[in-house]
Amino acid sequence: MKKIMKNFTCVNDIENLQNAVKEAIDVKKNPFAWDTLGKNKTMLLVFFDSSLRTRLSTQKAAMNLGMNVIVLDINHGAWKLETERGVVMDGDKTEHILEAIPVMGSYCDIIGVRSFARFESREYDYNETILNQFIKYSGKPVVSMEAATRHPLQSFADLITIEEHKKTAKPKVVLTWAPHPRALPQAVPNSFAEWMNATDYDFVITHPEGYELAPEFVGKAKVEYNQRKAFEGADFIYAKNWSAYAGDSYGKILSKDRAWTVDTEKMALTNNAYFMHCLPVRRNMIVTDDVIESPQSIVILEAANRVVSAQTVIKRMLEAM
Ligand code: AN0
Ligand code: CP
């Protein structure tokens, strides 16, 4: 059956999760089975923000499908873009995004976009203003490579990794906040929560007071403010820092409390849980050296699965063309 996928921005774009994981495992086993699917097709990857994994894994995924790939760092070599309509462009911005997007779209068949939350306005970020302009004006299928509110390629890779490692049908998965020196977006935890809520796992979120995620992402998850209690019996610990979402504290750091760092003593409370993090990770802020280097740490396998999630998504888009 042909699966139509126009854009990939959230869990709903993947439809049946079990089928998607099965397809991903097939892709992983035989990555070159579809190496002519993307012949003479071009993937353009546009970065407004830094990346190591997303840049390399998405490129590799498209190459495995026989595509040509172009990567553009907007902030290095392209013109400075104005993103607001109606602005008199007499400042340092040379080009408007409303021309730049359809031009970029005219050079490719699929377009990937990375554009983080800016923290200037919660409304601007949570409306996914930049990503939605790409969807509206590029004329091509759009893959989110982490937008303001979600990081679906990461969450899909996380789900694949959990499915590969789980020892029970419904593992206990704990998303834990951990400290970080800079204000980070909620995209990774939002997205992880959205994907976990689409499974039947026992899903728990733990964070200090004030770090509540948007209710639409918390969904049916259990929120436990006592990190140690949350860790009890966990099969997977998924660590991530995020800044506050709520009202006036949106985008702010409320705590850098290293009592929340994931360490050996806390991991001992779990059911010999696997440790996960999307990377890049700050050692001894988010997680101690001992935990990230332990045999239970699957962060490298998790990152490797980014090729698998991206290839499954791009394959579906090519099949729908
Ligand atoms: C980004 C974030 O937290 O969204 C990207 C993670 C994949 N992390 C940093 O900026 C450190
Ligand atoms: N996990 C992840 O998306 O990493 P990069 O920011 O390096 O792409």
Side-chain angles (χ1 to χ4, degrees), residues 52-290:
L52 185 147
R53 278 143 292 275
T54 305
R55 172 187 308 262
L56 298 178
S57 63
T58 313
Q59 208 167 331
K60 171 73 175 148
M63 281 159 42
N64 286 353
L65 293 162
M67 297 185 84
N68 300 309
V69 188
I70 310 173
V71 182
L72 178 66
D73 281 302
I74 289 284
N75 300 323
H76 299 107
W79 301 108
K80 246 186 181 276
L81 293 182
E82 176 58 62
T83 56
E84 298 303 315
R85 202 174 161 277
V87 168
V88 177
M89 289 175 59
D90 62 353
D92 63 338
K93 313 259 176 74
T94 309
E95 176 155 28
H96 204 285
I97 198 165
L98 292 174
E99 281 78 54
I101 290 174
V103 168
M104 291 189 277
S106 75
Y107 301 147
C108 66
D109 301 280
I110 303 177
I111 188 159
V113 183
R114 163 163 287 201
S115 177
F116 291 170
R118 299 175 173 194
F119 296 141
E120 283 159 20
S121 140
R122 188 170 91 174
E123 199 191 348
Y124 184 91
D125 290 342
Y126 273 67
N127 282 338
E128 287 291 5
T129 312
I130 301 282
L131 182 69
N132 283 330
Q133 285 181 322
F134 273 86
I135 290 171
K136 201 161 166 197
Y137 300 117
S138 71
K140 297 293 152 68
V142 172
V143 179
S144 164
M145 301 195 297
E146 186 173 340
T149 64
R150 293 176 177 87
H151 193 359
L153 288 174
Q154 181 65 51
S155 310
F156 187 14
D158 297 335
L159 174 67
I160 296 164
T161 310
I162 293 172
E163 284 293 305
E164 286 176 325
H165 287 85
K166 72 178 189 186
K167 294 184 184 110
T168 53
K170 294 179 186 177
K172 178 175 176 182
V173 178
V174 178
L175 166 62
T176 181
W177 181 93
H180 192 280
R182 293 179 50 200
L184 298 185
Q186 298 100 33
V188 170
N190 281 348
S191 195
F192 185 70
E194 180 175 76
W195 285 67
M196 290 300 106
N197 280 324
T199 70
D200 56 6
Y201 301 163
D202 175 11
F203 179 50
V204 179
I205 308 177
T206 183
H207 55 70
E209 301 260 356
Y211 277 100
E212 292 75 16
L213 295 168
E216 64 265 33
F217 290 106
V218 176
K220 62 180 184 185
K222 180 165 184 265
V223 177
E224 169 58 68
Y225 292 96
N226 182 329
Q227 191 191 30
R228 282 191 166 74
K229 207 165 159 213
F231 272 44
E232 282 169 14
D235 299 298
F236 293 88
I237 297 296
Y238 191 98
K240 183 71 183 85
N241 172 267
W242 63 88
S243 61
Y245 167 75
D248 288 346
S249 56
Y250 178 67
K252 298 216 161 63
I253 296 174
L254 307 178
S255 166
K256 293 184 188 174
D257 186 359
R258 283 174 54 210
W260 280 78
T261 301
V262 178
D263 61 13
T264 307
E265 181 248 313
K266 276 179 226 161
M267 288 300 285
L269 300 169
T270 69
N271 180 27
N272 197 24
Y274 288 107
F275 176 80
M276 298 177 71
H277 189 281
C278 65
L279 307 181
V281 72
R282 301 247 184 173
R283 282 181 177 223
N284 305 310
M285 286 293 295
I286 303 282
V287 59
T288 61
D289 293 313
D290 288 345

